[in-house]
Amino acid sequence: MTTHRKNSVILSSQEKSITNSGIRPVTFLSTPQSPSHERTISTLNNAIQIITVSSSAVSLPVVKGVLASVAGILNIIKTTIANKDDFQELVEQCQMIGLVVWRATSATPQHQLDGRIHRALTNLTSSVDGILKAVKAKTEKNVVSKAFHATIDQNTINKWKNELIRFLTLFNTEVNISTNLKVDELLDVTEEPDILPTRPRVFIGRSDLVQSATHALLKFHHVALIGPGGIGKSSIARAVLNDEAIVSKFQAKRYFVRFDDMVVTQVNLKTFLDHIMRALDFATPVNAYNVITKTLSTSETLLVLDNAETFLDATIDSGRIADAIDGFGAQSIGAILLTTRTTVLPPNMKWVRLQVPALEESAACEAFHAYYPSIETSILIKLLSAVDFHPLSINLLAQAAVQNEWSPQDLITAWDHQRATLLEAGDGKSQSLAVTIETSLNSPSFLKLGN
């Protein structure tokens, strides 16, 4: 991952587009189905989540104070204001305040806080507290009159919005003097978040598993795809991640965390949490577990942990890692999907266990033909049955045939040669994957790489 992290909370693509948006939606009371209303609700939820996570990651009381007041404003708008759409720009200002304040102060102890920044924070807090008090007063009048929702006029909203803009500009000036960073630089200290893996281009014979996993995850049940290496677990997970129903349900809150770049001896609780934090596009604070848990608890989220055996079989902290996963799984609106070779899963969660078998004969032939169509089915079945219809073996053989421009007979000859070599070396079982890998590694196109 090539993300720059300079003490920064990193936005998902959805959150970043909202933060940087300058578009003012049409102002009217909308039905829940209108795009304007849905955008407002999405912005509110994202803003509240960012403020909550930011507040948990800072230690300065003055910063926690301003973030708490901002969160108070947002929660009142969400729960008791009728004309929420009219607050779109104000909500965006609140979200920007949370981000800028956090990024300007997150790495600074209280006693080292620059005097200018401290003064700017105090003034900003006073402004936000004043707006919070005014919003509470407006809504409390409706409580007295037994009205469940308050409507605040546009002039008042604009007045609050302009006040926040003014104090945010002043804050920017003080930060710029002290650190030579402007607000736009504070907001743009990261690259775009990693793009999620796409559905595999060739994906055949796994629709039942995708459907079963998707059905469970949509109900917030946790799923484990279990099977040996190369059987296609990660491909199934990628297909699930991009399933239409999953995308509609979880939208930008879909995260794919790969652990195939580590070995069990490198994993401990910290490295495990670091991997997840990077996938969630957050810097890693001291309390990474709390940040991840709050992310999973504040909006409908799907967390895919690929190659989970790496941390489930860790030589250090395996128990603490299992406890952390149990904590993540306890969130009612978060779903976890594991791919793993091991059947030993975190014990305090209810798992939907899906065993991933080899491909059926017809699916295996179709997968091979997708890369290498010029081979008779009867011949192909004999070859693929020799590799036990193992997906990775099928892929490697097909790729070797294409890259070396082998005829069907060339392919069979290369396979038989490597199989005989392993048998002569004493491998009585002639493991199909080992033969396949050797066939690929000893092919002319691969050997040229060493020249």
Side-chain angles (χ1 to χ4, degrees), residues 306-366:
D306 193 33
N307 296 104
E309 68 278 354
T310 306
F311 55 80
L312 293 177
D313 294 336
T315 55
I316 303 173
D317 290 343
S318 59
R320 297 175 67 192
I321 291 172
D323 290 342
I325 297 172
D326 286 338
F328 300 156
Q331 309 311 310
S332 60
I333 56 174
I336 297 175
L337 172 62
L338 296 181
T339 73
T340 180
R341 301 181 189 185
T342 180
T343 58
V344 180
L345 304 176
N348 297 322
M349 294 169 60
K350 185 177 181 181
W351 293 97
V352 176
R353 294 169 179 254
L354 299 178
Q355 295 288 337
V356 181
L359 290 171
E360 297 289 337
E361 179 183 287
S362 60
C365 291
E366 186 179 351

Side-chain angles (χ1 to χ4, degrees), residues 19-77:
T19 302
N20 294 333
S21 173
I23 301 172
R24 176 68 167 98
V26 178
T27 301
F28 57 94
L29 287 177
S30 337
T31 65
Q33 290 76 28
S34 76
S36 175
H37 188 80
E38 290 179 357
R39 178 171 183 255
T40 301
I41 296 301
S42 176
T43 307
L44 265 169
N45 289 335
N46 286 334
I48 291 171
Q49 179 183 354
I50 288 172
I51 298 299
T52 301
V53 172
S54 299
S55 182
S56 69
V58 298
S59 59
L60 302 180
V62 65
V63 179
K64 283 186 175 290
V66 68
L67 293 177
S69 296
V70 170
I73 294 171
L74 295 172
N75 280 304
I76 291 175
I77 294 172

Side-chain angles (χ1 to χ4, degrees), residues 10-21 46 50 95 99 103 187-193:
I10 304 175
L11 298 173
S12 70
S13 58
Q14 180 188 18
E15 292 166 338
K16 191 165 185 178
S17 65
I18 292 172
T19 302
N20 294 333
S21 173
N46 286 334
I50 288 172
Q95 179 168 284
L99 289 168
R103 289 177 177 171
L187 289 173
D188 194 26
V189 295
T190 69
E191 295 180 354
E192 288 293 324

Side-chain angles (χ1 to χ4, degrees), residues 15 22 28 33 36 49-50 54 82 136-137 143 167 174 253 294-296 345 419:
E15 292 166 338
F28 57 94
Q33 290 76 28
S36 175
Q49 179 183 354
I50 288 172
S54 299
K136 284 182 176 179
V143 174
F167 275 94
E174 298 294 357
K253 301 302 181 183
K294 288 185 178 181
T295 299
L296 295 175
L345 304 176
R419 181 172 179 271

Side-chain angles (χ1 to χ4, degrees), residues 344-388:
V344 180
L345 304 176
N348 297 322
M349 294 169 60
K350 185 177 181 181
W351 293 97
V352 176
R353 294 169 179 254
L354 299 178
Q355 295 288 337
V356 181
L359 290 171
E360 297 289 337
E361 179 183 287
S362 60
C365 291
E366 186 179 351
F368 192 95
H369 277 141
Y371 295 104
Y372 186 86
S374 57
I375 184 171
E376 292 183 14
T377 301
S378 58
I379 298 175
L380 181 60
I381 289 174
K382 292 179 181 179
L383 178 61
L384 298 188
S385 63
V387 300
D388 304 318

Side-chain angles (χ1 to χ4, degrees), residues 48 152 157 171-172 254 346 364 403 415:
I48 291 171
I152 299 177
I157 296 171
F171 182 80
N172 175 39
R254 294 170 294 132
Q403 291 168 9
W415 162 264

